Amino acid sequence: MKKRLFSFVVVGGIGFVTDAVLLMGLLRFTALDPFTARLIAIAAALQVTWLLNRNFTFGKSSSHAAVEGMRYSGVGIATSLLNYLVYSGLIVFVPDLRPVIALTIGSAVATIFSYTGYAKLVFGR
């Protein structure tokens, strides 16, 4: 359990860095607004974390990869919505807050929900 949780945190950290770097790059080098850029960044981070969690944290589930991917996407989308809502609320109501700080807070809020969902609904035996 501790090893799996540690691995989940490491994978989440990699996902967070993917999300943050892509968000900041999109904001700096494109004309995208912080809301659209974050949607793209979240989608990329979700793909990265699925592959890493599947191979290092939880192992492959007993389901076909397509079914597992759909379940992972379902949990990922639900927790990403929570993450995005927190992020967006902070951007709207605290306009001087840097987007990467809002991303950090949104990600922290969503982490508990995502671990539980992935462990029970996607990779649970």
Side-chain angles (χ1 to χ4, degrees):
M1 176 68 170
K2 285 183 183 182
K3 182 181 177 195
R4 186 165 75 170
L5 184 58
F6 175 76
S7 181
F8 182 79
V9 169
V10 169
V11 168
I14 293 167
F16 173 81
V17 169
T18 301
D19 192 348
V21 167
L22 190 53
L23 173 66
M24 298 315 294
L26 289 168
L27 291 175
R28 184 173 192 154
F29 299 112
T30 73
L32 293 174
D33 62 85
F35 304 102
T36 305
R38 184 70 203 284
L39 289 173
I40 295 167
I42 283 176
L46 188 60
Q47 181 67 28
V48 167
T49 58
W50 173 58
L51 292 170
L52 293 173
N53 275 323
R54 183 173 204 261
N55 290 298
F56 299 109
T57 304
F58 299 105
K60 296 174 183 172
S61 70
S62 57
S63 302
H64 187 276
V67 172
E68 178 187 290
M70 292 302 290
R71 288 182 183 157
Y72 194 93
S73 294
V75 171
I77 289 168
T79 57
S80 293
L81 283 173
L82 173 63
N83 187 330
Y84 187 77
L85 286 172
V86 171
Y87 168 84
S88 296
L90 288 168
I91 294 293
V92 169
F93 294 112
V94 188
D96 292 335
L97 189 66
R98 293 179 53 195
V100 74
I101 302 299
L103 177 149
T104 302
I105 296 167
S107 295
V109 169
T111 296
I112 295 167
F113 295 100
S114 64
Y115 179 80
T116 303
Y118 294 140
K120 302 290 183 194
L121 302 174
V122 179
F123 298 104
R125 302 285 185 240

